Amino acid sequence: MRYLPFTHASHFLKERDFGQKIEASFDFIRAHFKPLGRALLMIVLPAALVIGLATALMTLEWINNLKGLQGSAATVDKTNPWPGISNVFSKMFFSPAYLTIVFGGLILTTMLILTVYGYVTLRLETAPEQEITVSAVWRLVRQRFLGTVGALIGLGVGSMIVFFLVSMVAGVLSALLIGGSGGSRFMIGVAVVLVMSLVFGAFAYISIALSLFLIIWVRERLGFLATISRSFKLIWGKWWSTFGLLIVMLIISGVIILAITLLTSLISSPFAAATAGTDGLEGAARLSFLVATTLRSMASLVIYPLILLALAFQYFNLVERKEGESLHYLVDAIGQPAPEAAPQALRPDDEGEY
């Protein structure tokens, strides 16, 4: 079976059905495994290693703190145990490892998004015969890094504001329902269902509608609000297909994560035996747990590019369906000289052309 090389715009800008978008994601990985893999290894891998190690150290710290809390349970004031518990959790959440995970995770996510979508964008904008180098991808990552970090923070803050507003509206409606019915149990149940439906429904719709935000942000280079508007415009009428695509890719990713977890559990098997003690993890158990947790964090280089690519091909599919962008490329190509074919020597069994 012949696969698309994904070197021309027409290879990306195609109307694809549900299965073809998933297939295109794997085909793109197959066609660009080496150049995209080099970019991921040289740009994203160092950050993934740091985050993986910080995650492992934080997990060990949490385990040891919880064991210490259990060991000192006999000396804790039974009437007011919260000071001791809050002290333990404050040490966890303000530890250097946890802060490294929070800020480092944002950096890692930004670099992964820009590397994958930057490579796709450069592949679209570069001549088919020219290979995309790591330096070209790194240049794009540097140029768009701060803006993308700000965009991700803006999406997070905006989502919280919308969640708060929808919760307020749902709360007011439920209060009116309960007050109008005299506080009957049936209307209380209806109000609870209404609140949960509005809140989770709004969250689900906005999350799926903004799933195309990142590919639009990188490829079309629009402003923050313009990118949000563009994402909602493209997703209109295709919300369910995007939702289904994302769910299927998450299931596939979950299977991959499960396989990686089972493999890394073989490395960290001494951890299970070490947890029987009261002094936490030490020696070989600690080292094996650090290695296993770091490997699981590095699995993001394998898993998340598949999800990002699936969303990218959904974006290309919607752009082609609604705007027919590939026609613009064909019009621009009119009048341009055809590519020269390399001369080939005739073989003895060639009959030539007539």
Side-chain angles (χ1 to χ4, degrees), residues 6-14 123-124 219 316 326 329:
F6 292 101
T7 53
H8 294 267
S10 59
H11 299 161
F12 295 89
L13 295 163
K14 292 173 64 72
R123 183 65 280 170
L124 271 164
R219 184 190 178 226
F316 291 125
S326 63
Y329 285 94

Side-chain angles (χ1 to χ4, degrees), residues 69-108:
L69 184 62
Q70 293 174 357
S72 60
T75 61
V76 173
D77 185 3
K78 303 297 184 182
T79 60
N80 187 21
W82 294 111
I85 296 176
S86 62
N87 183 42
V88 171
F89 281 96
S90 63
K91 290 181 179 179
M92 292 179 184
F93 291 112
F94 290 100
S95 64
Y98 182 77
L99 296 177
T100 301
I101 291 174
V102 172
F103 294 104
L106 179 61
I107 294 174
L108 175 61

Side-chain angles (χ1 to χ4, degrees), residues 2-337:
R2 184 180 180 184
Y3 301 101
L4 288 175
F6 292 101
T7 53
H8 294 267
S10 59
H11 299 161
F12 295 89
L13 295 163
K14 292 173 64 72
E15 295 186 18
R16 291 181 167 91
D17 59 28
F18 189 86
Q20 288 174 337
K21 284 175 279 193
I22 298 176
E23 182 182 2
S25 304
F26 287 94
D27 288 346
F28 185 87
I29 293 291
R30 182 186 294 108
H32 297 272
F33 180 78
K34 288 184 178 180
L36 178 58
R38 282 196 299 267
L40 289 171
L41 290 177
M42 299 185 68
I43 298 174
V44 186
L45 180 61
L49 286 172
V50 173
I51 299 304
L53 184 59
T55 302
L57 291 173
M58 188 195 71
T59 306
L60 287 173
E61 183 178 347
W62 280 32
I63 292 173
N64 292 332
N65 287 337
L66 290 176
K67 284 183 174 293
L69 184 62
Q70 293 174 357
S72 60
T75 61
V76 173
D77 185 3
K78 303 297 184 182
T79 60
N80 187 21
W82 294 111
I85 296 176
S86 62
N87 183 42
V88 171
F89 281 96
S90 63
K91 290 181 179 179
M92 292 179 184
F93 291 112
F94 290 100
S95 64
Y98 182 77
L99 296 177
T100 301
I101 291 174
V102 172
F103 294 104
L106 179 61
I107 294 174
L108 175 61
T109 302
T110 304
M111 295 179 69
L112 181 60
I113 291 168
L114 289 177
T115 300
V116 175
Y117 285 157
Y119 182 90
V120 172
T121 301
L122 290 173
R123 183 65 280 170
L124 271 164
E125 298 174 351
T126 307
E129 66 277 1
Q130 184 176 349
E131 184 177 354
I132 305 301
T133 62
V134 176
S135 60
V137 178
W138 175 236
R139 189 181 308 114
L140 186 146
V141 172
R142 294 199 316 268
Q143 292 172 351
R144 305 296 304 277
F145 182 79
L146 292 179
T148 305
V149 170
L152 291 176
I153 295 175
L155 287 178
V157 173
S159 299
M160 289 189 293
I161 293 174
V162 172
F163 185 83
F164 176 75
L165 294 177
V166 173
S167 300
M168 286 186 59
V169 173
V172 171
L173 292 176
S174 62
L176 293 176
L177 286 174
I178 295 173
S181 63
S184 66
R185 293 184 178 180
F186 175 75
M187 293 308 298
I188 292 175
V190 172
V192 171
V193 173
L194 175 63
V195 170
M196 295 184 64
S197 299
L198 285 177
V199 172
F200 289 104
F203 180 77
Y205 181 82
I206 293 174
S207 299
I208 299 302
L210 292 178
S211 62
L212 303 182
F213 176 91
L214 294 170
I215 177 62
I216 297 173
W217 172 265
V218 176
R219 184 190 178 226
E220 299 189 14
R221 299 173 175 86
L222 302 175
F224 180 73
L225 295 179
T227 304
I228 292 178
S229 175
R230 173 75 165 156
S231 184
F232 275 90
K233 178 182 177 181
L234 285 178
I235 214 73
W236 182 257
K238 292 295 181 179
W239 188 92
W240 283 108
S241 63
T242 308
F243 174 77
L245 176 66
L246 191 57
I247 290 297
V248 170
M249 293 307 298
L250 288 175
I251 293 174
I252 295 174
S253 302
V255 172
I256 298 175
I257 291 174
L258 179 61
I260 294 173
T261 302
L262 292 176
L263 291 175
T264 54
S265 65
L266 299 176
I267 301 174
S268 59
S269 56
F271 167 69
T275 54
T278 60
D279 297 330
L281 299 179
E282 300 294 341
R286 184 182 181 90
L287 178 60
S288 63
F289 181 75
L290 288 173
V291 173
T293 307
T294 304
L295 290 176
R296 293 191 193 105
S297 178
M298 291 169 55
S300 60
L301 298 182
V302 179
I303 299 168
Y304 295 116
L306 285 174
I307 301 176
L308 294 175
L309 287 172
L311 292 174
F313 282 108
Q314 172 68 342
Y315 159 77
F316 291 125
N317 166 65
L318 296 179
V319 168
E320 183 61 20
R321 286 178 182 273
K322 297 186 176 186
E323 301 173 357
E325 186 175 328
S326 63
L327 295 177
H328 299 293
Y329 285 94
L330 294 177
V331 172
D332 293 339
I334 296 176
Q336 295 183 1

